Each structure stands twice: as C-alpha cells, then as structure tokens.
C-alpha cells in the first residue's frame, strides 16, 4: 500500500482542480492507504476531506454488513460448499492533515503533523503568517518554522533549479544547516516528476543531491486534480488567477493531464528504481498518526465566583424563573425547566448556555435590544436566562429534538442584535476572551452562475457582449436543463460554436468550486485554551476582526460549538420606538412586556395593513394575511413559516388554508404522525416536523434524519438524495403508509431542503412581528420615525413609509434648518398630539458630522443662509444641499432663492467682519428675479434631494393625462 502526501485541492484557490471530497473518493477507489491534503499555506479544505472519509467508512461498514448477510464474506465455509467467486475489497483511505508552506526566504516545504502537538504547531505557524498579512495572504519566514516546528515531519521541494547542481548564492541549500539541526531525522527531500520527458534525469540528479546531503527521498506525484479529465478546468482556473486568456497561458498551463492522483500501481511504475522513496512514504504514513478526530474542543468553562458551570446555570435559571413569573411559575414550566437542566448537565452543555447568557447580559447592560432564536433558543432555560422573550409553552417541539443524546449534536442558539450596535457586542467578545481564544467562522464563497459565466468566459476569450448575453440567460441555463441550445439561439449565439460549447461545459464544471474565503455573518468560536492551536486564525477584511478558516459545516462536523451573533434591523427600529414611547408617553416597554394578544393589532394585520411590519410586509405576505386571518400568536408563527420557498414548493400552503377554513377535512395518516402535525392541521410546515416524519413514518434513526437534512441542504451542489428517497419510500411502506402519501411527504421534505423554517425560529420572529405590528397600530408616527432612523432596512423606501404614515393620520413635517436634527424626531403638534419632523439624515449626501455642527450652533435659530455658514462653520456645498432640500423655507426663502444665496458663498469669501468696500459700506447686489418653480418641479427636486416628497404624489401630476377631463395639477410643459 502506498500513499500520496502532497495533494493540492481547490482550497488552494484558482489552482487545485478537484474538491477534497473527490480526492478521498478517488483514493478509496484506487486503493491508496492514505492521502495528505496539503494546500498552500492553508488547512481550509481538510475538514471536508475528513468528513468524506467518515462517510466512506460508514458506507463500507454498511456494505460489509450487507455482504456478510448475503454470505459473501464470513467464517470459513464447510467442506464441499463453494466460496464466492470474487471476494470484495474494502478500502478506507486515511487522511493525513498537512499544509504546503511557501516562505519569503526559503523554498516550499510540505508539513505533516505527527501528533496533536504537531497540529497545534502548524496552526500557530499559519496564524502567525496570516495575522501579519492582509486578508487572503500569508507571509512566512523560515524563522517562523524554526520557532513552531515541534511534532512535524517536513518534505522539502527545492524546485527544478537544483538539476544544475549546487544552487550557489541564495540557493535553497543555504537553509539546510538550520533545518537539519532543528529537524534532525524529520526532514525529507521530495522526489517529484515534472511530466515533461526529463523525469529520468531529474530523478537521478535529485537522488545524487539527497545522498550528498544525507536526506532521504520521498516520492510524491504532487497532484493538482483527482482525475486527468480536470486538466482543462485546471488551465481555466490558472487563467483566472493570472488574469489572462487560456490561449495566452504559455508555461502557466499544464503540459498534460498527468499531474493527477495515482493508484499504488501507477506510483510504483512512475518511481520504478526508487523503491526507497516509496518506502519512505509508508514510513511517514506510519509516523504521522494524528487525525482530526483527536481534536478535543474545549468550550470556555464559564466558572465564576467559585461556582461550577452547572451550579451557576441552575442558579441563574431559577432566578430568571422568578423574574419571568413573579406570581409563581406553573408546575408544567417548573417541570420543563428541571428536565432541561438535567439533560444539559448530562451532555455537559452548561458553559454554552452561560456564554450565550453572558453575551445577552452585556448587550442589555448597554441597552442593546436582542432576541435569541435557534433550535435550542425557545426553551425554558433560555426564556429564564433572558436569551429569548418567547415562552416555550408556545411551541410544540420537545427539548430533546434540539439537544439530545441520540443526535450527539451541539445546541444551536442564534442571537439577533440591533444592526447599528452589533459591533459593540463583537468587540466585547474579543476583549473578554482574547483574540487567541475567539474568532469568527469563515464562509466559503463558491462559484455560482453569474461569476462562473463571467470569469470562465473571459478566460476562454469570449467578448464582453457575449458574456453579458449569456449572463442574461442565467435562469434559463441553470433551471431548464436541455434548453441551452434554444436559449443561445434566442439571444443570437451559435450553440455549435466550439469555443462557446467548451465554455459552457467548463461553466457547469466550475459551479460549486470554492472561490475564496469570506467571514461568516456572526458565528463566533470561543475556546477554553488557545483557538490558534485548534485552527489557524487570520485577519478579516473588516478592521479589528479575526476569523478562522473553517465554515459552519466544518465546525459542525468536528463538534465545535459556535454562538451566532447576528444583526437585525427591526431590533434597531423596535428599540428606538420603545425609547420614544417612554420619552413621550412615559410607558416603559420591552419585548416581554408588550400587551399580548391585542385584537386591534390582529384586525390591522387581517386587513394586510402591514407596511414596515417585520416579516409580513412583502406582497406575498400581504396577499396571504387576509386569507390566513391571524387571531393569536401561534397564527403569526405559522404565518412567518408558511410563506417560504420550502412550504410553497412542497404544496403545503393551499392544503393548510383549505383545512383552516373548513373546506377540507383534517386527517392524519396515523396517531403517531398526528402528534407531530396536530397544531398545523396535518400539514408539515416546520423543519422539525419534516424530520419527525422521516423518523416516525419511515423509521429513520436520528442520525439518518440528520444526514437527510444535510443532504437536502446541499444536494444541488455536491450530491444526490436518491439513496434517501429509496430508503424513505421503503420505510413508509413498511410502516403501512400508502405510496402516494409517502411520495407527497418526501416531496415536502425536499422542499424544506431548498428553504424551510424551524418552529423555534418562526416563534422568535413572530414575537418581533407582533411587537412591530403593535407599535404601528398604536403609535404609527413613532413607528415610522423609528423605521426612518433605522434605514437602510426592510422592503420599502422612505417615501413609501412616509406616505403610509400620512395615510394613518400622522402629520409629517418637512426638514427645517431651525427645527430638524440628524435623526427624525417626534414633536408636539400643538393639538395635544405628536408630529413627525423629518431629520437631516433624509437629505442625500449630507454627513452626520455636518448636521451635528448645525444643530449645536443653532441657538435661538438661524436667520439667513449666510448665518448658518458663519455660525456652524459648514462648507458651502453643505448649504447647497440644504437649499436643494428646501430646508430654508421657514426663513421665508423659496428653494431657488435659498440656492441662489448658498451659491454666492464660496470657501474664499471673507468673513462678515471684513466684508464691504473701501468706504465701509456693504456691497449691494441687485435682487435676482428668479422664476417660480411649478408643482411638478418642486416634487422632482424633493425626490432628487431627499428621495421623498411631502407634496403631491407624482402620479397626481399626470392624472390629467391619464384621466380625460381632470385639470392640470401643476405639471408644466
């Protein structure tokens, strides 16, 4: 058995031409003992190969059990009983984590960790190189390797220049004395073919050098693809990386398709005569025993003031129970709390819940509104800890479906914070745990349609017009298989053109390839020990942020817990609205204290009066609200979950409405499924229900159901759901369900794979739906003011929000130089109510800093345009923008008059103290007679300056053209 120790995957971005998973599958097929994924200065793709190795091992175990049951393998057969004609071979390749290090001052070196200590050294080394560089770069020096080289084997790659003999000044041999002293007995010289017809001479020269230097040779084919068929794609990726066309690559292109993963037999032929180099490979495989399974993630202990994590969680949970239920908690809730605490303690997840609680407590101490959601968030424990404000009594799912011993999965809690203040929470986490113990997850940016067409098309030499035409048909190409030729002819392209055909083949091939790493929206990893000994850390694009190189699927595979610190614009809006309600109405409110189940609020929603209301403001939701007619909180939970691609594609919407309206009988295929689908009238609407159908109806184990969920979430990119489909149909049939019902259930589950909503998420979002609807219903002016101050967010532009507020009887007042502030504010309307005063933030290209100077220097008010310039010290262009927004109207200046005065002020104009002529008299300028602006011109200028108007609706100016007999409303010719 032979291994390959220097593999380049596509996580060496735009270089490797195969997925890590493809290398593992190919290695299993060719019978390799082990492979080492060694990407350049990175270990980003290793977990994917590790996960695929687990899957291969699982399939092999299943096959072994099947073959044993069929009698193909097993104990020796009695005499006279024929043995199977061919005994099956079961091979599971071992993954050796590795990295190819490229140095500023030394040749490349492949590093293979022998032990857990070696892995920690590699992670520290990569972290050091990446933290001193910009995102995506790694700057390493040989001294870094000398400092962090414990527990590692090295393979040197001196390059083809060594063929000429000793390198001379600056050659790679100058580094050998330091390396050999530091890594005695742990350093090899790579023997790598060039696939150019000169390998025999190359091998002889390298063997002579190895003998002279006293280094053992190690054989490696250095593959950049798992199969030779990927050669074309490898050249295209190189062209994208180098910014040139494929036909201009020259020596940058592969000479042939030989730089691929080879079987043991092929390696033996390739390195014939150098058996010692192959034997050294086996020796290294035996030495490098480290596996990613050895990584033991240690969550921060969260021990405080002498309490253990378990004691502290129990104390805080019971304190929260008394806070949530001041008059005593119901016995059911108390029982649920004790049950959850016992399960959390058994699984050792107390620190996780404490960390989430501490992050939420910090946010609340800074008056940052937050709301937890996620599979474990809507539990009694989280309700008592203040993580969520949704009572767990609302839902129907039991706690074990989220945190269970059988599933062996970490809990999942996402916490949404105000989008304007989330960075405060992120920096608090860095400060509390230290950057060596905390980091954000990565997100792998994959090639998708438009980017694939654009970059592959340019590499293949297509014109920009052709690329644009292909991009315009994106949905036609990727949603209607087999119609490519027709689509191309429709846009004037020739589908038989050889280059165009090759381009489209490569576009389909590159879809799903990783392009680069980005940062996750908020998934934080925190550790008890050093995070940079678990996984490398690098700089993010955003200042003061650091990230790891693994994404959420990778850390899930390794059992690493994360806390999602997310942002939500509606929370910013609700918090600002709460502040204004308390300021103007002396009514302190929180998410938990909003008056519940207000029928007036539900009446408003039933009329689809939901502009600006969280989650139900889209046209689809507005269309559905009058049909759904929500009358209680759980109706909102269903409303949030049902208008999603998953339920829509699974044909769940119309059956639910018919059953809700009594047009269709509510039936359940069995009592067991009736318990799961009872609250949703027999129609699965939530992800949890879809998975429970698989478990209860088809007899899936929790592990199989979870694999089904993961497969459905990624089937478009990597794999197929056929094995689950057949298993599901067989299981449903075995449990007595008819085939039509089983097929419909699987179709619904498949819909959830595209996009479904967990009940726990829907419940948390439903609370924000109710809160925002309650504010809009009872305080429409404050709601609109808070929405405008929280922009950008939501579906609607400020002009639509203002128009909706005026339709609800809110008086909206224009931006005014003497009355407005940066934010929109509520002010007395003189009749005992409140009016909405638009703020300077509504003026385009006006900075908050300039608005602050204007309001700070205002005193008792400005009298002229020049007065603003003199007292506030703002630049002349700021006065121009204010004039264009008609902010000087209260001074008796019309828009053009104010603009005339603003334009007269320039940066070189003397201050009023030195103004005037030599006789001491002021300079008198003749009055300008400016033409009056028509109503249409006023509206247009309002939209240009502020993207909204308080004058007539633009369509009103065209009404006389649209409706015969209607008089002109001010639109000039």
């Amino acid at each position: 058995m032979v291994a390959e120790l220097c593999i380049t995957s596509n996580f060496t971005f735009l270089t490797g031409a195969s997925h890590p998973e493809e290398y593992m599958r190919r290695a299993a097929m060719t019978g390799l003992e082990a492979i080492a994924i060694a990407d350049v200065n990175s270990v980003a793709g290793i977990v994917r190969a590790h996960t695929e190795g687990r899957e291969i091992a699982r399939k092999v175990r299943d096959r072994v059990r099947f073959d044993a049951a069929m009698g193909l393998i097993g104990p020796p057969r009695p005499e006279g009983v024929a043995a199977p004609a061919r005994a099956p071979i079961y091979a599971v390749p071992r993954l050796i984590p590795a990295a190819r290090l490229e140095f500023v001052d030394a040749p490349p070196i492949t590093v293979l960790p022998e032990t857990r200590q070696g892995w920690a050294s590699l992670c520290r080394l990569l972290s050091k190189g990446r933290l001193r560089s910009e995102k995506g770069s790694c700057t390493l020096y040989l001294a870094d390797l000398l400092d962090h080289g414990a527990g590692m084997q090295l393979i040197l790659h001196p390059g083809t220049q060594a063929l000429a003999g000793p390198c001379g000044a600056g050659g790679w041999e100058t580094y050998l004395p330091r390396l050999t002293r530091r890594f005695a007995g742990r350093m090899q010289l790579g023997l790598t073919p060039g696939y150019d017809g000169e390998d025999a001479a190359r091998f002889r020269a390298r063997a002579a050098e190895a003998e002279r230097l006293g280094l053992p040779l190690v054989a490696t084919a250095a593959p950049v693809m798992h199969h030779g068929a990927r050669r074309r794609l490898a050249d295209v990726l190189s062209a994208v990386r180098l910014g040139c066309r494929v036909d201009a690559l020259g020596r940058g292109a592969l000479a042939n398709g030989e730089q691929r993963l080879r079987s043991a037999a092929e390696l033996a032929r390739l390195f014939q005569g150098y058996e010692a180099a192959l034997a050294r490979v086996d020796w290294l495989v035996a030495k490098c025993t480290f596996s990613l399974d050895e990584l033991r993630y240690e969550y921060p202990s969260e021990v405080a003031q002498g309490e253990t994590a378990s004691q502290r969680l129990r104390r805080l949970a019971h304190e929260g129970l008394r806070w949530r239920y001041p008059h005593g908690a119901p016995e059911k809730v108390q029982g649920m709390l004790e049950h959850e605490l016992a399960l959390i303690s058994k699984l050792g997840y107390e620190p996780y819940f404490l960390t989430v609680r501490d992050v939420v407590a910090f946010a609340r101490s800074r008056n940052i509104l937050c709301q937890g959601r996620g599979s474990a968030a809507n539990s009694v424990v989280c309700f008592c800890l203040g993580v969520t404000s949704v009572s767990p009594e609302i839902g129907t799912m039991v706690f074990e479906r989220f945190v269970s011993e059988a599933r062996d999965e970490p809990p999942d809690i996402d916490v949404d914070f105000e989008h304007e203040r989330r960075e405060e929470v992120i920096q608090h986490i860095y400060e509390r745990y230290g950057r060596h113990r905390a980091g954000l997850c990565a997100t792998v940016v994959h090639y998708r349609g438009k980017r694939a067409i654009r970059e592959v098309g340019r590499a293949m030499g297509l014109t920009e017009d052709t690329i644009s035409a292909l991009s315009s048909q994106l949905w036609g190409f990727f949603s209607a298989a087999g119609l490519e030729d027709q689509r191309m002819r429709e846009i004037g392209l020739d589908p038989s053109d050889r280059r165009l055909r090759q381009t489209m083949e490569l576009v389909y091939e590159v879809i799903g390839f990783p392009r680069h790493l980005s940062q996750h929206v908020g998934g934080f990893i925190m550790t008890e020990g050093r995070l940079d000994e678990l996984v490398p850390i690098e700089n993010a694009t955003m200042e003061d942020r650091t990230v790891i190189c693994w994404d959420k699927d990778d850390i899930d595979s390794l059992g690493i817990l994360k806390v999602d610190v997310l942002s939500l614009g509606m929370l910013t809006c609700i918090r600002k609205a709460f502040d204004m309600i308390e300021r103007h109405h002396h009514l302190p409110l929180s998410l938990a204290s909003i008056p519940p189940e207000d029928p007036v609020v539900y009446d408003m929603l039933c009329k689809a009066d939901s502009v600006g209301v969280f989650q139900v403001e889209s046209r689809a939701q507005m269309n559905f609200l009058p049909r759904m007619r929500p009358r209680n909180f759980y109706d909102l939970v269903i409303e949030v979950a049902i208008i999603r691609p998953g339920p829509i594609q699974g044909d769940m919407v119309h059956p639910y409405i018919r059953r809700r309206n009594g047009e269709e009988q509510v039936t359940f295929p069995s009592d067991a499924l009736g318990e799961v689908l009872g609250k949703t009238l027999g129609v699965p609407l939530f992800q949890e229900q879809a998975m429970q159908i698989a478990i209860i109806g088809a007899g899936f184990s929790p592990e199989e159901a979870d694999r089904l969920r993961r497969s459905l979430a990624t089937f478009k990119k990597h794999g197929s759901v056929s094995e689950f489909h057949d298993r599901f149909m067989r299981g449903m049939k075995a449990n007595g369900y008819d085939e039509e019902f089983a097929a419909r259930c699987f179709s619904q589950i498949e819909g959830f794979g595209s996009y479904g909503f967990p009940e726990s998420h829907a419940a948390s979002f439903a609370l924000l739906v109710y809160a925002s609807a309650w504010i809009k219903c009872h305080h429409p002016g404050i709601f609109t003011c808070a929405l405008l101050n929280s922009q950008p967010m939501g579906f609607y532009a400020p002009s639509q929000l203002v128009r909706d507020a005026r339709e609800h009887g809110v008086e909206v007042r224009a931006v005014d130089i003497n009355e407005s502030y940066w934010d929109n504010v509520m002010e007395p309307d003189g009749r005992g109510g409140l009016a909405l005063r638009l703020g300077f933030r509504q003026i385009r290209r006006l900075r908050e800093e300039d608005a602050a100077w204007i309001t700070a220097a205002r005193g008792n008010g400005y009298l002229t345009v020049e007065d603003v310039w003199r007292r506030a010290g703002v630049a002349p262009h700021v006065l121009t923008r204010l004039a264009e927004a008609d902010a000087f109207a209260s001074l008796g200046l019309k828009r053009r008059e104010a603009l005339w005065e603003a334009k007269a002020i320039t940066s070189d104009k003397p201050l009023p103290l030195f103004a005037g002529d030599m006789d001491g008299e002021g300079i008198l300028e003749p009055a300008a007679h400016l033409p009056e602006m028509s109503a249409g011109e006023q509206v247009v200028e309002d939209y240009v300056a502020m993207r909204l108007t308080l004058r007539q609706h633009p369509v009103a100016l065209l009404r006389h053209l649209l409706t015969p007999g209607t008089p002109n409303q001010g639109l000039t010719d």
Side-chain angles (χ1 to χ4, degrees):
M1 302 291 283
V2 182
E4 176 55 66
L5 301 180
C6 298
I7 292 175
T8 300
S9 81
N10 53 13
F11 277 82
T12 300
F13 302 116
L14 301 179
T15 300
S18 293
H19 293 281
E21 299 95 324
E22 290 175 320
Y23 279 115
M24 290 297 292
R25 290 194 290 268
R26 185 70 178 174
M29 186 183 303
T30 56
L32 287 177
E33 178 184 0
I35 63 171
I37 303 291
D39 286 309
V40 174
N41 295 335
S42 174
V43 294
I46 285 177
V47 179
R48 300 189 177 212
H50 177 72
T51 304
E52 183 64 24
R54 286 179 178 172
E55 183 66 12
I56 292 171
R58 183 193 64 78
K59 290 180 178 179
V60 167
R61 288 195 302 270
D62 292 346
R63 178 65 184 274
V64 169
R65 285 195 292 266
F66 176 80
D67 284 358
M70 298 298 294
L72 296 176
I73 58 175
R77 292 172 175 265
E79 186 176 352
V81 178
R86 179 179 57 86
I89 299 175
Y90 304 99
V92 180
R94 181 160 69 88
L95 174 68
I96 300 175
R100 180 186 175 99
L101 306 182
E102 293 192 348
F103 298 91
V104 174
D105 57 351
I109 298 175
T110 295
V111 173
L112 305 166
E114 294 181 290
T115 60
R116 176 67 178 86
Q117 182 188 10
W119 174 258
S121 299
L122 176 59
C123 291
R124 292 281 296 274
L125 180 62
L126 291 173
S127 298
K128 190 172 186 178
R130 289 191 172 274
L131 290 174
R132 63 162 63 111
S133 310
E134 294 182 352
K135 176 187 178 292
S137 301
C138 184
T139 305
L140 286 172
Y141 300 93
L142 187 62
D144 300 326
L145 178 61
L146 299 176
D147 292 338
H148 301 283
M152 298 192 295
Q153 289 284 341
L154 274 56
I155 302 176
L156 279 71
H157 305 283
T160 56
Q161 72 272 19
L163 289 174
C167 295
W172 65 274
E173 290 188 34
T174 60
Y175 304 101
L176 281 177
R178 283 186 291 172
L179 287 171
T180 52
R181 285 196 301 269
R182 180 69 175 83
F183 299 98
R186 292 188 285 137
M187 189 166 57
Q188 289 74 217
L189 195 62
L191 185 66
T192 307
Y195 306 105
D196 55 2
E198 299 181 14
D199 285 341
R202 177 179 289 105
F203 286 178
R204 286 195 298 270
R206 188 57 52 80
E209 292 173 32
E211 185 176 357
R212 177 169 52 83
L213 300 171
L215 294 176
L217 284 173
V218 61
T220 170
V224 297
M225 50 192 167
H226 78 292
H227 193 281
R230 287 284 170 85
R231 177 196 168 190
R232 291 191 312 167
L233 184 59
D235 287 344
V236 167
L237 294 172
S238 296
V240 173
R241 183 182 74 252
L242 298 174
C244 67
R245 291 169 47 164
V246 171
D247 48 16
L249 269 176
R251 292 183 178 273
L254 294 178
N256 45 52
E258 296 299 309
Q259 204 169 344
R260 53 183 167 79
L261 187 64
R262 295 172 175 272
S263 67
E266 289 179 301
L267 288 171
R269 286 195 300 269
L270 185 63
F271 294 99
Q272 188 174 5
Y274 297 91
E275 284 74 15
L278 289 172
R280 190 69 178 183
V281 174
D282 289 338
W283 181 86
L284 281 173
V285 170
K287 289 287 289 183
C288 298
T289 59
F290 171 72
S291 166
L292 292 183
D293 288 327
E294 295 179 40
L295 294 181
R296 291 293 178 265
Y297 171 68
E298 296 180 358
Y299 200 79
S301 62
E302 301 297 348
V303 173
Q305 300 175 351
E307 287 181 307
T308 66
S310 181
Q311 292 169 339
R312 184 170 173 237
L313 179 64
R314 179 169 288 276
R315 174 178 60 81
L316 291 173
H318 281 282
E319 289 176 1
L321 191 67
R322 291 190 291 273
W323 165 55
R324 290 295 194 188
Y325 299 95
H327 302 296
E331 290 186 11
K332 178 184 176 182
V333 173
Q334 295 181 40
M336 291 170 65
L337 176 62
E338 290 302 322
H339 173 69
E340 290 177 12
L341 287 173
L343 185 56
I344 291 171
S345 176
K346 184 176 182 180
L347 298 175
Y349 288 146
E350 296 98 337
Y352 179 81
F353 285 86
L354 288 171
T355 298
V356 177
R357 179 263 173 196
D358 290 346
V359 171
V360 169
F362 166 79
R364 294 216 165 109
S365 71
R366 297 289 184 90
N367 195 30
I368 301 173
L369 192 63
C370 58
Q371 167 75 351
R373 56 187 171 89
S375 60
N378 296 113
S379 61
V380 177
V381 169
C382 286
F383 184 59
C384 294
L385 295 178
V387 173
T388 180
S389 297
V390 179
S391 171
E393 300 166 273
I394 297 295
T396 60
M397 301 294 112
V398 298
F399 192 59
E400 284 85 349
R401 294 183 186 169
F402 314 129
V403 179
S404 94
E405 200 171 6
R407 288 177 61 183
D408 191 26
E409 275 196 347
D412 175 30
I413 300 177
D414 305 339
V415 186
D416 294 312
F417 298 88
E418 300 176 35
H419 75 301
E420 293 181 351
R421 302 186 65 189
R422 180 180 68 138
E423 192 62 27
E424 296 178 42
V425 180
I426 289 175
Q427 294 305 320
H428 162 73
I429 293 174
Y430 280 128
E431 291 170 8
R432 179 180 177 191
Y433 294 98
R435 293 184 182 272
H436 64 291
R437 294 177 56 205
L440 286 162
C441 288
T443 293
V444 181
V445 178
H446 295 89
Y447 270 107
R448 293 292 179 263
K450 283 190 180 294
R451 183 190 289 268
I453 291 173
R454 187 167 58 249
E455 295 194 354
V456 174
R458 286 173 183 157
M460 291 294 290
L462 300 186
T463 65
E464 289 297 324
D465 288 344
T466 302
I467 293 171
S468 297
L470 289 172
S471 297
S472 70
Q473 296 298 310
L474 176 68
W475 294 111
F477 289 139
F478 296 106
S479 63
L483 297 180
E484 294 89 346
D485 290 1
Q486 177 184 336
R487 299 289 186 187
M488 286 184 187
R489 290 191 182 93
E490 289 174 357
I491 58 178
L493 298 177
D494 180 9
S496 63
D497 180 80
R498 180 170 175 267
R499 181 164 297 225
L500 184 59
R501 189 174 64 253
Q502 286 180 338
T503 300
M504 290 308 299
E505 289 173 359
L506 289 163
V507 165
Y508 283 108
E509 198 169 9
V510 83
I511 295 292
F513 260 54
R515 178 60 171 76
H516 59 270
L517 291 180
S518 182
Q519 72 173 46
H520 190 268
V521 291
F524 252 104
I525 307 297
M526 291 158 277
T527 59
E528 178 71 9
R530 294 188 69 100
L531 177 61
D532 58 1
E533 291 187 351
L534 182 72
V535 56
I537 299 174
E538 59 186 274
N539 291 317
T541 303
M542 294 186 65
E543 189 177 358
D544 295 327
R545 289 197 186 182
T546 51
V547 300
I548 66 173
C549 64
W550 293 338
D551 70 3
K552 62 182 183 65
D553 293 331
D554 296 334
I555 65 171
D556 282 349
S557 178
L558 295 177
I560 298 175
L561 304 183
K562 69 177 171 64
V563 177
D564 281 320
V565 179
L566 307 175
S567 63
L568 198 60
M570 183 50 68
L571 286 174
T572 305
C573 171
I574 292 175
R575 197 265 303 164
K576 291 181 177 182
F578 284 167
D579 291 346
M580 284 188 279
I581 291 172
E582 184 171 9
R583 184 183 312 121
H584 294 290
H585 299 288
H586 309 290
L587 177 64
L589 287 175
S590 68
L591 287 175
S593 64
I594 287 181
E597 305 295 55
D598 189 336
V600 180
V601 174
Y602 290 112
D603 290 342
M604 181 188 77
L605 291 175
C606 289
K607 294 184 290 186
D609 183 6
S610 59
V611 171
V613 177
F614 182 64
Q615 289 286 306
V616 294
E617 60 181 343
S618 70
R619 289 300 174 192
Q621 290 281 10
M622 285 184 173
N623 177 270
F624 190 72
L625 278 168
R627 299 163 61 200
M628 174 73 181
R629 300 194 61 81
R631 299 311 305 174
N632 56 54
F633 182 78
Y634 198 76
D635 286 348
L636 295 183
V637 176
I638 293 175
E639 176 80 30
V640 167
I642 199 169
I643 304 299
R644 303 281 165 184
I648 292 173
Q649 292 174 16
D651 191 26
M652 307 173 196
V653 178
H654 296 297
Y656 178 82
I657 286 297
R658 288 195 297 268
R659 294 185 177 200
R660 182 179 173 86
N661 294 338
E663 301 170 9
E664 181 179 305
Q665 185 179 358
V666 178
T667 59
F668 304 106
S670 68
D671 293 341
L673 288 182
E675 295 179 6
V676 175
L677 303 175
K679 268 198 168 182
T680 55
L681 307 182
V683 180
L685 298 179
F686 304 112
Q687 280 183 351
E688 298 94 336
Q689 291 177 311
M691 295 305 100
Q692 284 300 304
I693 290 175
I695 293 172
I696 295 174
F700 276 44
S701 67
E703 180 188 5
E704 286 178 311
D706 187 61
R707 283 196 288 111
L708 169 62
R709 177 183 63 83
R710 294 178 188 275
S711 175
L712 288 169
T714 59
F715 76 96
K716 292 181 181 178
K717 183 173 65 179
H718 283 306
S720 165
V721 297
S722 59
E723 62 171 303
F724 294 105
H725 176 270
D726 297 341
R727 165 76 176 85
F728 184 87
M729 297 298 289
R730 288 197 307 270
M732 294 291 282
K733 183 177 181 180
N735 288 332
Y737 299 100
D738 63 72
E739 186 174 350
E740 181 183 353
F741 173 76
R744 188 167 68 250
C745 283
F746 192 82
S747 172
Q748 293 171 334
I749 293 174
E750 197 170 27
F752 278 103
S754 297
Y755 194 96
F757 225 54
E759 185 184 33
S760 52
H761 281 251
S764 293
F765 275 0
L767 179 62
L768 301 184
V769 173
Y770 181 80
S772 55
W774 188 91
I775 297 170
K776 177 181 174 70
C777 179
H778 295 285
H779 304 280
I782 288 176
F783 181 68
T784 303
C785 184
L787 271 177
L788 293 173
N789 289 340
S790 303
Q791 293 296 309
M793 59 164 287
F795 275 77
Y796 298 100
S799 59
Q800 295 166 296
L801 298 175
V802 167
R803 186 166 64 250
D804 181 71
R806 297 176 81 180
E807 290 174 356
H808 284 78
V810 177
E811 180 184 352
V812 183
R813 297 177 176 178
V815 176
D816 189 278
I817 192 66
N818 282 324
E819 300 293 340
S820 293
Y821 297 87
W822 170 250
D823 278 333
N824 304 278
V825 297
M826 303 301 296
E827 61 184 26
D829 63 359
R831 301 183 299 276
L834 296 172
L836 169 59
R837 171 70 67 179
L838 296 180
F840 292 124
R841 66 158 57 235
Q842 302 304 139
I843 301 176
R844 297 180 65 183
R845 302 189 305 279
L846 189 67
R847 298 186 308 163
E848 185 175 0
E849 180 182 357
D850 292 326
W853 281 109
I854 292 170
T855 55
R858 186 156 55 198
N860 292 326
Y862 298 112
L863 302 177
T864 63
V865 175
E866 186 171 318
D867 196 22
V868 179
W869 171 71
R870 179 173 56 82
R871 289 163 58 184
V874 295
H877 70 268
V878 175
L879 301 177
T880 300
R881 287 171 185 161
L882 290 167
E884 289 172 341
D886 205 16
F888 297 101
S890 64
L891 304 184
L893 293 174
K894 297 179 181 179
R895 193 192 304 261
R896 282 180 173 162
E897 293 172 346
L899 190 58
W900 183 271
E901 292 191 18
K903 290 290 187 181
I905 299 173
T906 60
S907 57
D908 58 351
K909 180 177 179 179
L911 291 173
L913 178 64
F914 305 104
D917 57 17
M918 296 300 293
D919 298 331
E921 298 180 0
I923 297 175
L924 299 177
E925 183 178 349
H929 298 288
L930 304 173
E932 292 285 335
M933 295 180 72
S934 67
E937 290 174 323
Q938 294 277 15
V939 169
V940 169
E941 289 302 314
D942 283 344
Y943 274 99
V944 170
M946 298 183 295
R947 293 160 294 193
L948 61 87
T949 185
L950 299 181
R951 307 174 203 273
Q952 294 161 289
H953 192 283
V955 175
L957 303 173
L958 304 172
R959 187 66 64 193
H960 69 288
L961 301 175
L962 304 174
T963 307
T966 304
N968 190 327
Q969 295 295 314
L971 184 68
T972 63
D973 294 336

